[in-house]
Amino acid sequence: MPSVLVVCTANVCRSPFAHALLAEQLNRNHTIQLRSAGTRATAGQHICPVVATELGDNEFAQTHVARPLSAKLIEGADLILTAELKQRASVARLSPAARSRTFTLIEAATLTEAIDSSRRERIGAGIALPSLGESFEELVARLDGARGLAHPIERKHRWFERRTKESAADALTIPDGHNVNARAHKSALGVVSASSDQLANWLRANLA
């Protein structure tokens, strides 16, 4: 069974939200195991109230508890998605072999666009291409192979981000709005939702 691991800092906000959204969408037509963890999680901590409200009447929101990231969790996952680049780096430090299957959530969603755009260009040039129709592992390999195809994301500094060198340069990160204010919190969760939808739709459309 394919397995996806979603990682953020505390595992109470961004990663469990993506976990719940991806689980609901990916398991409509396939059986895929979803897990989530935090690089600095306090084991047993419950999901944040804002995410619980966003998920509504969802058993996951009632039962989820945070867990720390570990090499064992990483090594058991076919795809690892992180909220931030620094968490992607944390995954690589714990398990260097996982680099090729580790992406930030924004990065993975952007790479699906790059793959589809490249295919459209080739089809437009008269090259006959079959549908992807591949295994989960093969699709993850396609994401990895497309890293050089994706154009860098250009965005302005978002109003709720601290003006640090790291945040200003980091276009692949979903900032943590959890401890900022309600508007920042909702904005970050909106990015999680949009990126999760895009990635899940691509995987569902192309899984054999």
Side-chain angles (χ1 to χ4, degrees):
M1 179 192 306
S3 175
V4 178
L5 174 66
V6 191
V7 179
C8 73
T9 303
N11 193 213
V12 297
C13 186
R14 292 166 296 173
S15 59
F17 190 46
H19 175 161
L21 295 176
L22 290 167
E24 194 279 327
Q25 294 178 67
L26 293 177
N27 285 314
R28 291 176 187 175
N29 307 106
H30 302 85
T31 302
I32 296 172
Q33 185 177 57
L34 270 290
R35 294 188 175 100
S36 58
T39 55
R40 297 202 304 270
T42 300
Q45 190 172 0
H46 291 287
I47 204 166
C48 86
V50 175
V51 171
T53 299
E54 289 288 326
L55 293 176
D57 187 18
N58 186 310
E59 182 181 356
F60 176 84
Q62 308 302 319
T63 60
H64 171 79
V65 291
R67 64 173 142 191
L69 181 65
S70 67
K72 183 176 180 180
L73 282 172
I74 295 168
E75 289 158 9
D78 298 296
L79 172 63
I80 302 105
L81 302 167
T82 69
E84 304 178 28
L85 280 173
K86 63 183 179 183
Q87 292 146 10
R88 192 183 72 177
S90 294
V91 169
R93 283 193 294 271
L94 283 171
S95 181
R99 289 176 185 271
S100 63
R101 60 184 194 277
T102 305
F103 311 83
T104 73
L105 184 57
I106 291 177
E107 180 182 25
T110 303
L111 289 171
T112 68
E113 292 181 353
I115 292 169
D116 288 347
S117 176
S118 176
R119 286 176 60 82
R120 285 193 297 269
E121 288 177 4
R122 294 170 70 190
I123 290 171
I127 302 172
L129 297 176
S131 60
L132 294 183
E134 295 174 321
S135 70
F136 193 87
E137 293 79 5
E138 288 169 329
L139 290 176
V140 173
R142 279 194 179 270
L143 290 174
D144 183 45
R147 289 187 203 257
L149 297 177
H151 298 295
I153 300 171
E154 294 183 4
R155 64 164 173 80
K156 295 181 179 179
H157 177 84
R158 288 180 282 219
W159 67 269
F160 59 88
E161 292 179 284
R162 294 177 181 176
R163 293 185 178 277
T164 64
K165 182 178 180 180
E166 179 183 34
S167 65
D170 185 357
L172 298 180
T173 280
I174 300 173
D176 186 2
H178 183 78
N179 293 313
V180 181
N181 56 44
R183 184 180 172 190
H185 206 163
K186 293 278 287 185
S187 180
L189 294 181
V191 179
V192 171
S193 179
S195 299
S196 297
D197 284 349
Q198 185 170 329
L199 176 60
N201 287 337
W202 184 81
L203 289 170
R204 287 172 55 206
N206 293 299
L207 273 171

